[in-house]
Amino acid sequence: MWGRTDLIDESDEMVKHRTKKEKDALEESEGVKFDESREGAVLVTSIEIDENGEKEIGKKKGKYITLTDLTVNPNDEQSFQHLERIFIEKLREMHENIQLTKSSKILIIGLGNATITPDAIGPKAIEFLQNTSLTYSEQVKVVMYAPGVTGQTGFETSDFVEAISNAFKPDLIIVLDALAARNSERLCKTIQLTNTGIHPGSGVGNQRKEISEEAYGVPVTAIGIPMVVDGPVLYADAMEQVIHYIASKIEEKGRPSSALAVTPMVSNKQTTIDKTVLQPIFGEWVTWPKEEKRKLFEEVFVGKNPSLFVTPKETDAWVEHYAYLLSNGLETWITSR
């Protein structure tokens, strides 16, 4: 199945409850607390799932926070600084129920393959962290390690984490990793934090043993950034843009103002467009919700390019920026406890 995602707010269960009325009903009846707010260009989504919610929607009990800035780009240092400030705030929020002190021990694990660029955020962040005050401070007790992947070492990543955890006995384990997204617009634009742990490789269909509090008896915070999407997801996204553009052109053509236009109209995807005008051309499916169209593409392309994943061409720049953001954010949070 393509369209895999590691982002909680892209899961089918969340996508089905997008209106405020549906979210309120979900929260009241199914053990899910859903909250959205905006801090500048950053959309902050907080989801808490209890035992009832876990049974109802099949998502692990715990807290999930996603920070999404669709405007950020590798050349926009100011946006990254703003995103970093919110990231530090949410680190504090995520750990407010864990009694961490100056003497608490923290194990930071950078998952991923450092030789494959879109998978290198974890190892790169560890590299940056090893050059911060956390390495040289006698007061702060932090161990940082990038174990590589099973294909490189022949060992399960979780075995490395377990061995270090048994020797170091941390009060908290933080895991950094690259994720998969279902929406191409979210690529390199989102940071997800969760206290539910992580299955390395799950987003790309190569799920390994879980790294979680249940596995080690130590609180685990997983932090990830989506760096890849399934290739066929781009088909659905591209088709949605084409439909929106054609419908926009038809709608604009009927307006008197179109006669005054001196340049081609640029479609705004945020604008609501009446897609029923396209039914005579494409049929009824053109008016379906975006998720329903994706399911149609899933059926059409089943078995085609099942292992094809796509990443932006500026991936190396994105990795550098986010690795630095994670490193700097973690250092600031840890030293200010």
Side-chain angles (χ1 to χ4, degrees), residues 34-335:
F34 191 110
D35 179 69
E36 283 186 342
S37 62
R38 187 170 289 279
E39 298 187 32
V42 179
L43 178 66
V44 180
T45 304
S46 297
I47 301 171
E48 290 189 54
I49 300 175
D50 63 18
E51 292 86 351
N52 294 328
E54 185 174 29
K55 294 176 184 177
E56 289 293 333
I57 69 173
K59 290 300 177 182
K60 193 172 179 180
K61 170 188 172 183
K63 187 169 186 175
Y64 304 79
I65 300 175
T66 59
L67 314 175
T68 301
D69 184 352
L70 298 181
T71 69
V72 71
N73 66 75
N75 300 315
D76 187 355
E77 196 67 36
Q78 190 171 2
S79 289
F80 270 100
Q81 290 172 356
H82 178 60
L83 189 57
E84 182 183 310
R85 286 194 295 271
I86 300 174
F87 171 63
I88 295 170
E89 290 175 12
K90 297 309 171 182
L91 274 173
R92 295 191 179 105
E93 179 182 324
M94 181 65 71
H95 300 98
E96 60 188 2
N97 294 326
I98 301 177
Q99 300 302 315
L100 295 174
T101 66
K102 290 290 185 181
S103 60
S104 296
K105 296 188 288 186
I106 299 176
L107 172 60
I108 305 177
I109 299 294
L111 299 180
N113 189 335
T115 65
I116 299 178
T117 305
D119 197 33
I121 281 182
K124 193 68 177 178
I126 295 298
E127 179 185 324
F128 287 156
L129 278 164
Q130 289 171 341
N131 292 307
T132 65
S133 63
L134 298 181
T135 300
Y136 309 105
S137 173
E138 296 181 0
Q139 287 76 35
V140 179
K141 299 176 181 178
V142 178
V143 168
M144 298 157 277
Y145 184 60
V149 295
T150 303
Q152 294 173 309
T153 66
F155 292 93
E156 287 281 352
T157 301
S158 59
D159 292 341
F160 283 107
V161 179
E162 183 175 9
I164 298 172
S165 180
N166 289 338
F168 182 51
K169 301 194 181 306
D171 299 290
L172 172 68
I173 299 174
I174 296 177
V175 182
L176 313 175
D177 198 10
L179 306 179
R182 181 182 289 176
N183 185 340
S184 59
E185 291 185 350
R186 300 286 293 278
L187 276 178
C188 308
K189 304 295 179 73
T190 294
I191 302 174
Q192 177 172 273
L193 303 87
T194 178
N195 59 9
T196 62
I198 191 170
H199 281 97
S202 61
V204 295
N206 186 29
Q207 183 166 299
R208 316 305 299 183
K209 290 171 63 176
E210 184 179 68
I211 300 174
S212 66
E213 183 172 2
E214 291 80 2
Y216 304 128
V218 178
V220 174
T221 298
I223 303 171
I225 296 157
M227 298 299 299
V228 297
V229 293
D230 267 322
V233 166
L234 298 181
Y235 306 159
D237 285 351
M239 180 57 71
E240 188 70 14
Q241 291 181 28
V242 169
I243 290 171
H244 194 283
Y245 181 79
I246 296 175
S248 298
K249 292 285 284 186
I250 293 174
E251 184 177 281
E252 182 69 17
K253 188 175 181 180
R255 297 175 180 170
S257 59
S258 64
L260 302 176
V262 295
T263 59
M265 183 201 62
V266 177
S267 174
N268 180 0
K269 290 186 292 183
Q270 304 302 318
T271 305
T272 301
I273 294 295
D274 180 13
K275 298 176 183 176
T276 58
V277 296
L278 297 181
Q279 277 188 254
I281 305 173
F282 296 104
E284 182 183 351
W285 71 272
V286 78
T287 63
W288 293 356
K290 190 174 182 179
E291 289 303 312
E292 292 299 319
K293 292 193 189 77
R294 283 183 176 169
K295 289 179 181 178
L296 172 64
F297 275 84
E298 181 178 337
E299 294 175 8
V300 171
F301 289 99
V302 64
K304 306 286 178 63
N305 297 324
S307 299
L308 177 63
F309 288 90
V310 180
T311 192
K313 65 179 181 179
E314 309 94 345
T315 301
D316 53 347
W318 285 113
V319 167
E320 287 282 328
H321 277 288
Y322 276 114
Y324 178 77
L325 184 153
L326 295 178
S327 170
N328 201 44
L330 285 168
E331 179 190 18
T332 302
W333 171 67
I334 291 172
T335 56

